[in-house]
Amino acid sequence: MLDSIEPPGLDVPPRKSNPTKSTDTPPASSYLGLRSLASGAVGGLCSVIVGHPFDLVKVRRQTAPKGFYTSSVDALRKAVRKDGLMKGLYAGVSIPLMGVTPMYAVSFWGYDLAKSLVQHLYDVPSSNLTIAQIYTAGFLSAIPMNIIATPFERIKVLLQTQGQTLSMNSNGPKYTGSIDAVRQLYRAGGIRSIYKGATMTLTRDGLDSAAYFATYEYCKRCLTPEDLEGNGGPLSLLSIGIAGATAGIVMIIPLFPVDTVKSRIQNSGSKTKATEIVREVYRNGGLKAFYPGIGPALVRAIPANAATLLGWELATQAMNERFGP
């Protein structure tokens, strides 16, 4: 049963069918909502396990002074030399492990909810949503996720970058862990300090999610096998993985500069405007300076996003088989 699946949340439309008026009732019950949350959480855990070392290198290169690292490999080598293999590769992983469950859960729950809203707005069944409508649903899914994503990103960036700060001076680490970081930020500036960079995080995640889900759905439709009558059949795990990896790459390249600015804002100890960061980054290195760590980010995108969407689809299928669609 696991060699091929037909994901329930993103049905592949038959190639020769015509759109009809919707007779579907969107899944509004809390029970189905809990299943969306659980499936998203599984996908998120898969993403963290596979992708965190690449993310650490990306963030350190984004926030390090110019010339501190000669390459992504150099950043990785210094992290492992200083803290050992596991701690060096998974510095700050406690926050993703604690935050990824609600963040990804809310993201995929928000996506299912947004698809239902778009479906009723245009009065079409889920299977006949266009790619543009999927794009809209993807953007809307980032709004509830931002409540969790902003503090998660703020703490993660601080914990990931204090190692490189420590290697540049003799002071001890400022934060002993995620709880200590939250405590110190709240003491220094209240809830606004914890939610620093919220606007840039929402901008990044909204555009990311829109491109992500739209590309994923488009690739799934292209990869869907057809029977003799032209109707779409179930997708293989390999096809799901390819679609997920492609979606991850597509969302990264155009939006990477937004992520660079966001990371610098959240790593800053003072109140900083996005426009000031943009001018500073461009002044120090031109357009290329907005893409530090793009290599490991792209490398990470392939296995991490394939793992995320495979985990999500398989968890959804397993619950549908256990409890019914």
Side-chain angles (χ1 to χ4, degrees):
M1 183 61 77
L2 296 182
D3 58 342
S4 65
I5 61 176
E6 185 170 358
L10 291 170
D11 298 329
V12 179
R15 298 297 177 89
K16 294 184 178 180
S17 65
N18 294 317
T20 59
K21 289 292 184 180
S22 173
T23 57
D24 297 356
T25 299
S29 71
S30 59
Y31 177 67
L32 291 177
L34 287 173
R35 285 159 61 170
S36 293
L37 290 168
S39 298
V42 172
L45 288 173
C46 294
S47 175
V48 170
I49 293 171
V50 173
H52 187 79
F54 300 99
D55 188 61
L56 182 141
V57 172
K58 180 206 70 172
V59 170
R60 289 199 171 188
R61 292 206 66 196
Q62 285 177 330
T63 58
K66 185 178 180 181
F68 187 73
Y69 298 120
T70 60
S71 65
S72 296
V73 174
D74 181 53
L76 184 65
R77 185 186 302 113
K78 287 180 177 177
V80 173
R81 183 187 304 136
K82 180 179 178 297
D83 295 318
L85 184 61
M86 289 303 297
K87 188 176 179 181
L89 295 180
Y90 285 91
V93 75
S94 61
I95 280 292
L97 286 176
M98 289 188 296
V100 78
T101 300
M103 190 174 74
Y104 275 79
V106 170
S107 174
F108 283 100
W109 168 80
Y111 177 59
D112 284 341
L113 177 62
K115 280 204 306 177
S116 296
L117 293 175
V118 172
Q119 171 189 337
H120 275 254
L121 178 63
Y122 291 96
D123 197 20
V124 294
S126 176
S127 60
N128 288 109
L129 289 175
T130 66
I131 297 302
Q133 291 164 348
I134 293 291
Y135 186 94
T136 301
F139 186 91
L140 294 175
S141 73
I143 296 175
M145 185 181 69
N146 193 52
I147 298 173
I148 300 170
T150 297
F152 158 76
E153 288 284 335
R154 170 81 156 130
I155 303 303
K156 185 194 73 170
V157 167
L158 290 174
L159 293 178
Q160 284 183 330
T161 57
Q162 73 172 354
Q164 71 185 16
T165 303
L166 183 62
S167 65
M168 289 185 286
N169 57 60
S170 58
N171 297 328
K174 183 176 181 180
Y175 308 109
T176 58
S178 56
I179 302 300
D180 181 55
V182 172
R183 187 184 300 115
Q184 289 193 45
L185 289 175
Y186 186 79
R187 188 183 302 125
I191 196 69
R192 291 185 64 180
S193 179
I194 296 175
Y195 273 83
K196 186 176 183 180
T199 302
M200 291 301 297
T201 302
L202 179 59
T203 300
R204 182 202 66 175
D205 289 346
L207 296 173
D208 272 1
S209 296
Y212 188 64
F213 286 114
T215 303
Y216 179 57
E217 178 66 15
Y218 177 78
C219 291
K220 283 175 58 183
R221 293 178 183 183
C222 291
L223 294 170
T224 300
E226 291 183 330
D227 60 20
L228 295 177
E229 297 179 354
N231 296 319
L235 286 170
S236 67
L237 293 182
L238 178 60
S239 295
I240 294 290
I242 292 173
T246 304
I249 292 173
V250 167
M251 79 172 181
I252 283 177
I253 296 176
L255 297 172
F256 199 84
V258 179
D259 188 58
T260 297
V261 174
K262 177 207 69 78
S263 293
R264 289 190 175 236
I265 289 174
Q266 292 184 319
N267 191 50
S268 172
S270 59
K271 187 176 181 179
T272 308
K273 294 181 179 180
T275 53
E276 295 174 355
I277 294 291
V278 170
R279 283 196 295 266
E280 178 188 350
V281 172
Y282 185 78
R283 185 170 56 251
N284 290 335
L287 291 177
K288 185 179 179 181
F290 288 96
Y291 288 87
I294 185 67
L298 288 173
V299 173
R300 173 192 181 277
I302 296 174
N305 288 287
T308 298
L309 290 163
L310 277 169
W312 174 52
E313 298 283 19
L314 290 173
T316 301
Q317 178 187 318
M319 284 187 285
N320 283 347
E321 290 178 350
R322 175 65 177 85
F323 302 109

